[in-house]
Amino acid sequence: CINALHSNQPAQQEYVLTVPVPATAIATAAPAAGAAVAGSGGASMAATLQVLLPAAVAGLGTENIAVIRPGQRLDHYSGARWAAPAPAMLQALAVQALRRQGRFALVEAEGGPFEARYVLNLELTQGEAEYADGGPPTVRVALVCTLGRRAARSVITNFTASSTVAADADRMQAVVAAFQRATSEALA
């Protein structure tokens, strides 16, 4: 028996981010879960939110972990990637963070089975490790957040949430830890 699939390349390492603490900033612009919102026929419904699949600027919409090299050159870490495309991972993190906050009766991702009163649109405008003058990189995460009413298709608020975190070392685990902290801070 011959194994024709042998490779000398190291296996890709996949990384995930989690939401360690409740988010507060995104949820503060919306009604609390207990707030009554007028429904059809005068009935009251608790506030519900749907988080749309985020858009991402060029170079950030894949599983690749983005790097900005000197001269604004976009690159990606070799042998390492996110477990899902960055927009899908960000959507899941936002849903988790908002659920933990508890300000909505229901928080679901786009395509969920229930109709939501409010929608949250996110755009990932930064999500990269930037190398400057040697040493560990600085991780930058920035999100343009737009909260709106679904039925009226009207904007309630629009703001940018961002964070910059220096990695402790120029090792993949330290860079992922910096992404973890920067993403958590941007969602907080």
Side-chain angles (χ1 to χ4, degrees), residues 78-155:
S78 175
R81 65 179 178 201
W82 298 122
M89 190 169 56
L90 178 59
Q91 180 186 40
L93 291 170
V95 167
Q96 291 172 21
L98 289 163
R99 283 178 180 160
R100 288 185 185 173
Q101 180 64 27
R103 295 186 54 105
F104 293 92
L106 171 74
V107 178
E108 65 181 354
E110 183 175 10
F114 303 104
E115 183 175 339
R117 290 287 199 171
Y118 300 95
V119 293
L120 178 63
N121 186 54
L122 301 173
E123 181 183 358
L124 180 62
T125 58
Q126 285 188 301
E128 64 268 345
E130 185 173 353
Y131 285 87
D133 300 322
T138 299
V139 171
R140 301 180 197 288
V141 174
L143 311 170
V144 175
C145 310
T146 306
L147 180 68
R149 289 179 189 86
R150 175 177 295 288
R153 297 187 59 87
S154 61
V155 173

